[in-house]
Amino acid sequence: MDMNFKNAGNELTVSLAGRLDTTTSPELEKELSTKLDDVGSLIFDFKDLEYISSAGLRVVLATQKTMNKKGSMKLINVNNNILEILEVTGMTDILTIE
Amino acid sequence: MKRRLAIKFNSILILMGVLIFLVTVGIGGYEYYQSIVNLYNEQAYQTAAMASTFFSDEQLYDWSETAFEVSKMEDPSGEIQKVTEDPEYVEILDHIRDLRDSVDANDIFVFVVDTEVLNNYTVEAHDAGTWRPMIYLADCYRESEYDFLFGDTGKVAYDYIGLMDKAIKTGEKPTEKIISDGGFGNNISAMYPVVRDGKTVLMVGVEIPMVLLERDLKVFMIVTLIAAAIATAILLLITSVHFARSIISPIKMISSEAGNFIENENQISEKLKTVKTKDEIQTLSEALLKMEIGINEYIDNLTRVTAEKERIGAELNIATQIQADMLPCIFPPFPEKKELDIYASMTPAKEVGGDFYDFFLLDDDHLALVMADVSGKGVPAALFMVISKTLIKDQAQSCRSPKTILETVNNQLNESNAQSMFVTVWLGIMEISTGKLVAANAGHEYPLLKGADGGFELIKDKHGMVLGAMEDLKYKEYELEVPENGCLFLYTDGVPEATDDQNNMFGTDRLLEALNEDPGADSTTLLKNVKKKVDEFVGGAPQFDDLTMLAVRRVKI
């Protein structure tokens, strides 16, 4: 999986490509844990994300909880496969998807 | 192998020793030879000078002139006789002979040179003996029968023509040494010009055998050879012993200690501490010792870590087993309920996972069915699975509403969930006698239902959030009916998301196809069919997720 982080002021855009699964989720979690300190607006760009497993969902969920306390978080460019997974798990209710 | 260093070292030493020895002897011998030759040379010229003093100036002029004239005469015998019978001439010859004997010379001779003839020579004339520029005044050879007589002519050896010419013209003795191989060994010759009024009147030749050279040089060489040989040998011995002690033996010791360390189960080489050469060898020895200690520490550490790892591995195996044992695995589970055909299976991936299924009777007519999947893998997922399973079963005992059970368990899970773990749960409670089923879905996969006649179909039920995401979530209940000969199939995402090596997923379409392949199949066969199809699809690709399935069939009795 490829991760790309782009800062603009207090806005951080995280672009993910490939598979966010058991193997790759810890990497994302580790990266995010060091980068969210001064972030007020977090954007996940899922344009090239092919697959998300429950481990990946956990990281997204945990990040949402962190951002709830200090700002906002949204997902953009979510494709149908990923959207279906988010719907099945009920995540669409608590995540902001554009 | 082990002696190679010493052999190399000593070979080089011996070679160098021999070289030094040869150079010493060579230079010494040459210098000695030169000094002896110089000594004889000096003696020869002194002798020649001495011989020249036997003649008065008048005699010099007279006799040399006569000698020239005589050499040109057709019959010179009268003139020769005049000189040779002159008592003064006879007396001089006696003096010269005395002088010859006193200095051990071979020959002392007095002559004039016809310089015109001297400088006009041809090789043929020289070789034929017709070219004879020397005219003798006197010759006192040690064997008198070979003496030249007054007026006799003689040739000059090739090599000395130039020397002689130069000596006559300059009136100075040649700087070159004239050494010839005589019948008595090496001879040195003097070619002494006798000068009067700036002109060379005549020449005195002296030939002395260098007896000392023969004898002394040999002695000198032998003595020098022996002395140099002894000195070289002593030097070699000292150097060899010194190197053996300071370099070779410490290195051999270090080498053998290193070998011992490898062969004797990493026993530290205490001997290495004894190397006190205060140079690179001591550094090497100390480094080796340090390395040995380091290796042993590393091995100890590795052993400890490996043991720890094995222990954790073993514990993890037990944990996996405990987790697997938590799932009902005796089939049929309720043998007295012939109308129920239940079968379930979980094929874990490599690591301990978070999938689980459960079914249990709430009372004689109500069966609870659970299919769940905890986020992530490994020990955290397994622990969360145990908590979730226990809470769900616990809540189900006191409450018959799946909606309420999920809401309660969700809040319980959220009480302490810093890690944001979550679990997807499908929970249904079925009335066994009628097949009527009340269910709620917390973010889990859609269930599959087979009616009495048709095939399996996806039930797109209303989803709620996964359990553990946040507090006070609401869930919706819905009703389903499993008719007689109907079947409910529950699974986790490991089934539709099984992936082949091209990253293609198995998907719900293939799942439905597999389920509908054999309409009359019982639950056990059904699960085996699906497992088989999934295995075929995945091929050699590694299994990422647990494969968990549960089928409930109502059998007509």
Side-chain angles (χ1 to χ4, degrees):
Chain A
M1 188 188 67
D2 289 329
M3 289 179 259
N4 194 11
F5 297 88
K6 204 156 72 187
N7 267 309
N10 71 343
E11 186 183 273
L12 175 67
T13 306
V14 183
S15 307
L16 302 176
R19 292 168 61 88
L20 183 59
D21 54 25
T22 324
T23 338
T24 56
S25 296
E27 287 174 42
L28 177 64
E29 190 170 20
K30 201 173 144 203
E31 288 288 331
L32 285 173
S33 70
T34 62
K35 289 192 164 66
L36 290 183
D37 286 352
D38 304 317
V39 175
S41 168
L42 179 67
I43 298 167
F44 275 110
D45 187 344
F46 281 2
K47 185 163 161 281
D48 296 313
L49 189 66
E50 293 162 13
Y51 172 73
I52 186 165
S53 80
S54 58
L57 288 175
R58 190 185 71 76
V59 176
V60 172
L61 188 66
T63 310
Q64 176 70 63
K65 282 182 177 176
T66 308
M67 291 311 294
N68 280 346
K69 291 170 200 152
K70 54 195 276 190
S72 66
M73 175 179 128
K74 63 180 178 184
L75 312 183
I76 60 167
N77 299 323
V78 181
N79 64 44
N80 283 339
N81 284 338
I82 307 289
L83 192 62
E84 200 183 314
I85 295 171
L86 294 176
E87 275 167 359
V88 167
T89 52
M91 293 274 191
T92 43
D93 295 345
I94 58 165
L95 297 173
T96 313
I97 299 169
E98 281 186 6
Chain B
M1 173 76 193
K2 297 215 164 152
R3 293 177 166 272
R4 210 168 264 176
L5 194 63
I7 289 172
K8 264 188 202 167
F9 226 91
N10 286 328
S11 310
I12 292 171
L13 273 178
I14 288 169
L15 197 72
M16 281 173 61
V18 168
L19 217 69
I20 292 170
F21 167 76
L22 287 178
V23 168
T24 312
V25 169
I27 292 175
Y30 179 75
E31 287 298 326
Y32 189 78
Y33 172 82
Q34 285 296 333
S35 72
I36 288 186
V37 167
N38 281 338
L39 215 65
Y40 273 108
N41 197 44
E42 203 55 41
Q43 197 191 357
Y45 278 99
Q46 273 170 12
T47 306
M50 173 80 84
S52 76
T53 62
F54 296 159
F55 296 87
S56 67
D57 284 1
E58 199 189 331
Q59 287 165 340
L60 287 175
Y61 286 120
D62 279 359
W63 286 338
S64 58
E65 211 169 292
T66 311
F68 264 116
E69 285 165 8
V70 162
S71 69
K72 306 274 193 268
M73 286 179 181
E74 297 225 338
D75 179 18
S77 54
E79 291 296 319
I80 293 169
Q81 206 173 4
K82 243 169 91 184
V83 177
T84 52
E85 285 177 3
D86 185 334
E88 288 177 13
Y89 179 78
V90 176
E91 196 190 335
I92 288 172
L93 282 190
D94 284 340
H95 283 312
I96 293 176
R97 284 194 190 98
D98 288 345
L99 179 62
R100 182 201 67 200
D101 292 339
S102 71
V103 298
D104 280 332
N106 281 344
D107 195 8
I108 301 177
F109 51 104
V110 183
F111 60 99
V112 289
V113 178
D114 188 334
T115 43
E116 263 178 59
V117 179
L118 183 71
N119 289 314
N120 279 306
Y121 88 99
T122 57
V123 177
E124 290 82 15
H126 178 279
D127 289 350
T130 54
W131 174 81
R132 306 171 75 88
M134 280 171 73
I135 308 154
Y136 286 87
L137 268 70
D139 185 14
C140 301
Y141 197 60
R142 65 198 300 181
E143 288 164 47
S144 57
E145 62 264 33
Y146 298 120
D147 279 352
F148 286 101
L149 300 175
F150 187 89
D152 283 351
T153 53
K155 64 176 181 179
V156 181
Y158 284 124
D159 300 341
Y160 307 137
I161 295 171
L163 287 179
M164 191 174 277
D165 188 43
K166 199 176 159 203
I168 292 165
K169 278 180 181 155
T170 60
E172 284 170 11
K173 61 173 188 178
T175 47
E176 290 90 343
K177 293 177 185 68
I178 304 162
I179 294 165
S180 58
D181 221 3
F184 309 96
N186 280 324
N187 298 320
I188 190 146
S189 299
M191 198 184 278
Y192 180 75
V194 180
V195 180
R196 292 292 181 273
D197 296 333
K199 280 181 81 176
T200 304
V201 181
L202 49 73
M203 307 280 290
V204 180
V206 175
E207 188 186 275
I208 299 177
M210 295 191 280
V211 188
L212 282 180
L213 191 67
E214 293 294 310
R215 201 187 60 211
D216 284 12
L217 191 62
K218 264 183 203 158
V219 172
F220 172 82
M221 289 304 273
I222 291 167
V223 170
T224 316
L225 272 170
I226 293 170
I230 292 171
T232 312
I234 291 172
L235 206 73
L236 278 178
L237 201 69
I238 292 171
T239 322
S240 169
V241 167
H242 173 71
F243 279 136
R245 213 174 271 169
S246 66
I247 297 177
I248 296 173
S249 77
I251 286 185
K252 271 171 80 176
M253 196 266 271
I254 291 171
S255 156
S256 84
E257 286 305 308
N260 279 343
F261 179 72
I262 295 164
E263 280 162 22
N264 295 343
E265 297 176 344
N266 296 0
Q267 194 181 352
I268 298 292
S269 316
E270 297 293 339
K271 263 196 196 168
L272 289 174
K273 288 178 188 162
T274 62
V275 178
K276 296 286 178 212
T277 53
K278 295 199 174 64
D279 54 15
E280 285 87 344
I281 294 175
Q282 189 177 342
T283 315
L284 175 69
S285 161
E286 285 166 359
L288 185 65
L289 190 65
K290 214 168 162 186
M291 221 159 73
E292 287 185 357
I293 295 169
I295 287 175
N296 281 357
E297 278 172 4
Y298 180 75
I299 289 174
D300 285 350
N301 196 26
L302 196 68
T303 312
R304 228 181 6 255
V305 169
T306 310
E308 185 74 357
K309 210 171 159 187
E310 272 174 21
R311 189 179 63 79
I312 292 172
E315 285 181 3
L316 216 57
N317 276 342
I318 296 169
T320 313
Q321 198 52 51
I322 290 172
Q323 191 194 15
D325 289 347
M326 286 183 77
L327 307 180
C329 54
I330 298 161
F331 300 102
F334 317 113
E336 71 284 1
K337 300 217 175 294
K338 302 282 185 214
E339 64 273 39
L340 280 179
D341 169 19
I342 301 181
Y343 190 73
S345 74
M346 183 179 79
T347 314
K350 216 165 156 192
E351 262 185 292
V352 184
D355 277 16
F356 68 91
Y357 63 80
D358 203 1
F359 50 82
F360 44 90
L361 287 172
L362 297 173
D363 57 40
D364 200 39
D365 198 27
H366 285 90
L367 175 71
L369 297 161
V370 184
M371 179 58 68
D373 183 4
V374 175
S375 58
K377 284 210 187 340
V379 176
L383 286 173
F384 203 75
M385 167 259 183
V386 173
I387 298 168
S388 310
K389 182 175 175 293
T390 311
L391 286 175
I392 291 168
K393 191 165 184 178
D394 188 42
Q395 282 303 314
Q397 301 297 336
S398 55
C399 170
R400 295 291 163 84
S401 156
K403 165 186 150 62
T404 319
I405 296 168
L406 290 184
E407 284 168 1
T408 313
V409 171
N410 179 49
N411 284 343
Q412 286 172 328
L413 287 177
N414 267 299
E415 276 166 20
S416 51
N417 185 17
Q419 291 299 309
S420 294
M421 300 286 290
F422 64 78
V423 57
T424 69
V425 180
W426 185 95
L427 170 64
I429 294 173
M430 185 169 83
E431 198 173 45
I432 298 168
S433 51
T434 61
K436 276 192 179 146
L437 192 140
V438 184
N441 191 340
H444 197 77
E445 303 283 328
Y446 298 118
L448 297 172
L449 183 65
K450 178 182 180 284
D453 302 316
F456 277 94
E457 278 172 21
L458 204 63
I459 307 294
K460 291 225 168 185
D461 57 357
K462 183 69 190 166
H463 272 67
M465 261 300 278
V466 293
L467 300 188
M470 60 175 62
E471 286 181 357
D472 299 328
L473 289 171
K474 296 290 163 201
Y475 293 92
K476 293 198 174 79
E477 275 179 1
Y478 63 93
E479 287 189 12
L480 277 181
E481 192 184 331
V482 185
E484 281 190 339
N485 290 330
C487 182
L488 181 69
F489 180 81
L490 302 169
Y491 56 95
T492 56
D493 59 2
V495 180
E497 288 172 11
T499 308
D500 67 6
D501 50 11
Q502 305 291 316
N503 261 351
N504 296 314
M505 288 190 191
F506 188 65
T508 35
D509 289 346
R510 287 195 186 83
L511 175 58
L512 283 168
E513 217 171 276
L515 287 170
N516 290 328
E517 200 179 55
D518 179 7
D522 61 10
S523 297
T524 312
T525 317
L526 209 57
L527 262 56
K528 278 180 181 153
N529 282 347
V530 175
K531 177 76 171 49
K532 200 174 124 208
K533 290 281 174 192
V534 171
D535 285 347
E536 280 171 8
F537 177 78
V538 168
Q543 185 189 346
F544 280 114
D545 209 350
D546 302 346
L547 277 182
T548 310
M549 300 180 277
L550 167 66
V552 183
R553 205 162 63 100
R554 284 188 72 220
V555 187
K556 189 175 181 182
I557 30 177

